[in-house]
Amino acid sequence: MTPDQVKLVQQSFSKVVPIADKAAVLFYDRLFEIAPQVKAMFPADMTEQRKKLIAMLAAVVNGLSDLPSILPAASALAKRHLAYGAKAEHYPVVGAALLWTLEKGLGEAWTTDVASARTTAYATLSGFMVSEAYGNSQAAE
């Protein structure tokens, strides 16, 4: 990621923070709409899960300017998700739901540059996480 992309991701996330709860609801609603099979991996009461999502996103976004600093936590998260039944093919679906949520949440602030920066950030991190959890052979899929 370029420094400009990191800045765009961080600036756009600062606009999501005030609507974090709504954004988390939008994300999971969208995820379960496009991938209903993953709903069984989540608890019936999503309150705590939504808080975890926002906290994780904040940590990632804040750490993007020093990517190596967040990679150990990303690796641990990817490996924990194995126990929940997460598969490599779930990562693109989660990314699609996340980008859709951000587009809806940001409204007019969702520009082509922000979309590109967000897509690059997700691809970078999810590619690393898939590699950590499933090995390098799955990362390219």
Side-chain angles (χ1 to χ4, degrees):
M1 293 191 69
T2 68
D4 286 342
Q5 287 176 317
V6 169
K7 186 177 177 181
L8 280 172
V9 169
Q10 290 173 336
Q11 287 173 341
S12 66
F13 188 73
S14 71
K15 294 174 183 166
V16 173
V17 171
I19 61 159
D21 293 334
K22 180 182 175 187
V25 169
L26 279 172
F27 168 77
Y28 284 110
D29 285 353
R30 180 65 175 172
L31 179 62
F32 299 154
E33 178 185 328
I34 63 176
Q37 69 277 13
V38 303
K39 191 170 185 174
M41 295 182 206
F42 293 90
D45 181 353
M46 292 291 291
T47 305
E48 194 61 34
Q49 185 64 36
R50 289 190 295 265
K51 290 177 186 174
K52 288 179 182 180
L53 171 70
I54 297 301
M56 183 270 306
L57 289 174
V60 168
V61 167
N62 291 331
L64 281 179
S65 52
D66 183 15
L67 193 58
S69 72
I70 60 173
L71 294 181
S75 175
L77 180 65
K79 291 172 184 172
R80 272 196 316 275
H81 277 82
L82 287 171
Y84 307 137
K87 296 179 170 35
E89 60 264 23
H90 293 145
Y91 282 79
V93 177
V94 168
L98 181 60
L99 293 172
W100 179 90
T101 300
L102 293 167
E103 180 178 3
K104 297 300 175 205
L106 291 172
E108 292 180 10
W110 182 258
T111 65
T112 303
D113 289 342
V114 169
S116 177
R118 285 287 186 170
T119 301
T120 299
Y122 186 79
T124 299
L125 201 57
S126 67
F128 172 78
M129 291 174 70
V130 168
S131 176
E132 289 293 294
Y134 307 98
N136 288 328
S137 64
Q138 297 284 318
E141 293 181 12

